[in-house]
């Protein structure tokens, strides 16, 4: 059974940093793309970053490029999203999602099959 568990959300002031974690189980990392999505109140869900191991590749949406960094610890089956220079507009529920890289790709235009429960990030002024 594929499971994704996010952690690391919280309240931070603008300009601050947070690191989100996505602990994954039930699948082989090599076959999957793992992405971070977010959804702010009243807004559509946005795919912001994705990583794959085979082939090794990353993707960032323009809204987070240069501020967020995605990485993976393969020994721990965990994907991280380091978020720096946070802005109030980054406030959202952040979700980790996974799917076969051959199905979803990493450009985040296709729907992902497996989802975590989400973690709330709030950035204050």
């Amino acid at each position: 059974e594929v499971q994704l568990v996010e952690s690391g959300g919280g309240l931070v002031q603008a300009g601050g940093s947070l690191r989100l974690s996505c602990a994954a189980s039930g699948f082989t990392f090599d076959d999957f793309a793992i992405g971070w999505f977010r959804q702010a109140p009243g807004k559509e869900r946005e795919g912001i970053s994705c990583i794959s191991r085979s082939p090794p590749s990353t993707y960032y949406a323009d809204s987070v490029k240069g501020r967020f960094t995605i990485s993976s610890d393969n020994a721990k089956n965990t994907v991280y999203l380091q978020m720096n220079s946070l802005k109030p507009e980054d406030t959202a529920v952040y979700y980790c999602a996974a799917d076969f890289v051959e199905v979803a790709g990493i450009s985040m235009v296709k729907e992902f099959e497996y989802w975590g429960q989400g973690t709330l990030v709030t950035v204050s002024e």
Side-chain angles (χ1 to χ4, degrees), residues 69-87:
T69 302
I70 193 169
S71 62
S72 67
D73 183 332
N74 300 324
K76 295 182 178 180
N77 280 1
T78 300
V79 171
Y80 303 99
L81 186 68
Q82 178 66 43
M83 306 187 297
N84 298 330
S85 302
L86 283 162
K87 306 173 183 179

Side-chain angles (χ1 to χ4, degrees), residues 17-117:
S17 298
L18 281 176
R19 189 178 77 160
L20 304 183
S21 299
C22 173
S25 61
F27 61 92
T28 302
F29 253 44
D30 281 355
D31 297 333
F32 275 68
I34 300 177
W36 286 97
F37 294 77
R38 67 184 181 186
Q39 188 163 21
K43 294 189 176 181
E44 292 188 356
R45 189 175 62 202
E46 177 188 15
I48 57 171
S49 188
C50 191
I51 190 168
S52 67
R53 285 182 59 188
S54 182
S57 189
T58 57
Y59 163 86
Y60 296 96
D62 288 343
S63 57
V64 305
K65 199 173 294 182
R67 299 188 299 124
F68 292 9
T69 302
I70 193 169
S71 62
S72 67
D73 183 332
N74 300 324
K76 295 182 178 180
N77 280 1
T78 300
V79 171
Y80 303 99
L81 186 68
Q82 178 66 43
M83 306 187 297
N84 298 330
S85 302
L86 283 162
K87 306 173 183 179
E89 51 263 44
D90 293 318
T91 295
V93 178
Y94 284 69
Y95 298 91
C96 174
D99 204 338
F100 288 98
V101 65
E102 291 186 354
V103 173
I106 71 161
S107 61
M108 310 190 84
V109 295
K110 295 182 180 181
E111 188 68 24
F112 278 52
E113 179 71 19
Y114 305 101
W115 292 82
Q117 81 288 352

